[in-house]
Amino acid sequence: MRVVIAEDDALLREGLVLLVQGEGIDVAAAVGGPEELLLAVDEHRPDVAVVDVRMPPTHTDEGIRAAVAARRTHPGLAVLVLSAYVEQSFATELLADGAGGVGYLLKERVGRVAAFLDALQRVAHGGTAIDSEVVAQLFSRQRANDRIALLSPREREVLSVMAEGLGNAAIATRLFITDNAVHKHIRNVFAKLALEPGDDTDRRVAAVLRFLEADR
């Protein structure tokens, strides 16, 4: 795996480099701004870009916009976003193409090495990895009149764990239910969110996107 890291905090950037390299992963470049990120992606064609949301010059959304631009230019580029806050609109921008390969972690999660590395591997293989705290906060903000409101409490639980990127077996273990129950709940989620089989997009990714968009 080849990774490009974009983080304007020099100390955190170097920490990420050491952490990733310690797992035997190639860090092709580590940069401090959005323009440098785009240049590094063009030059090195990484598998994954690890990107801070807020970077110079305004420290608002430069990082996420650079990540979206990089995915347009290089389809298949996986992106793991790091943010100090839950910023829902940014997550949905990255997921909007339905292609997967997207992660959204709070920066505090980087200190939990195993969780960070698991998320990195998951997005590199085309999955999603949405921080559980992001999931919790977005559910708490949802509106009563959208399709998410049709889900039962258990179906919401299954969708929230799905948003973290876990597969069916892991969901069953987390929620202490059977594999068959997980399949049933996921089928119900797809039906209630009007996600038909045969759609061009990955239905699991599309379900997560619908969930993330519920607060819009």
Side-chain angles (χ1 to χ4, degrees):
M1 187 195 307
R2 174 173 285 195
V3 175
V4 164
I5 295 171
E7 165 61 57
D8 67 304
D9 183 306
L11 187 60
L12 179 55
R13 183 170 66 246
E14 290 306 311
L16 286 169
V17 170
L18 292 174
L19 176 59
V20 173
Q21 287 179 335
E23 292 297 308
I25 298 170
D26 178 21
V27 178
V31 301
E35 295 299 328
E36 295 96 323
L37 168 63
L38 294 174
L39 290 172
V41 169
D42 285 341
E43 179 180 354
H44 299 289
R45 304 297 176 95
D47 302 296
V48 186
V50 179
V51 184
D52 181 17
V53 167
R54 299 186 174 190
M55 290 198 291
T58 68
H59 295 279
T60 54
D61 61 356
E62 285 88 351
I64 201 75
R65 300 208 176 278
V68 170
R71 274 170 69 90
R72 287 199 196 103
T73 306
H74 301 281
L77 172 68
V79 174
L80 179 57
V81 173
L82 302 179
S83 177
Y85 310 98
V86 177
E87 301 175 273
Q88 173 261 348
S89 62
F90 300 151
T92 57
E93 277 190 80
L94 280 171
L95 280 167
D97 60 8
V102 174
Y104 190 128
L105 296 185
L106 296 180
K107 284 188 174 181
E108 65 187 47
R109 216 58 90 189
V110 176
R112 303 177 190 180
V113 175
F116 170 74
L117 293 173
D118 178 65
L120 185 63
Q121 292 286 349
R122 198 178 299 156
V123 300
H125 290 89
T128 57
I130 311 299
D131 194 292
S132 58
E133 181 60 26
V134 175
V135 172
Q137 288 197 34
L138 295 181
F139 263 130
S140 70
R141 299 175 190 171
Q142 74 171 55
R143 299 178 305 192
N145 62 347
D146 58 44
R147 284 185 175 272
I148 295 295
L150 300 175
L151 303 181
S152 71
R154 179 60 88 180
E155 289 160 2
R156 293 185 192 197
E157 285 185 306
V158 170
L159 179 54
S160 71
V161 181
M162 192 192 303
E164 294 178 46
L166 274 64
N168 288 8
I171 292 172
T173 300
R174 171 80 69 86
L175 299 180
F176 302 103
I177 57 179
T178 66
D179 286 348
N180 285 339
V182 172
H183 283 289
K184 175 185 173 183
H185 292 313
I186 291 176
R187 283 198 303 270
N188 289 342
V189 168
F190 290 159
K192 290 180 180 180
L193 298 184
L195 297 170
E196 299 296 332
D199 287 350
D200 290 337
T201 57
D202 183 314
R203 286 199 293 170
R204 294 176 79 97
V205 174
V208 172
L209 179 58
R210 295 281 178 88
F211 151 63
L212 291 171
E213 288 182 329
D215 188 48
R216 284 188 142 181

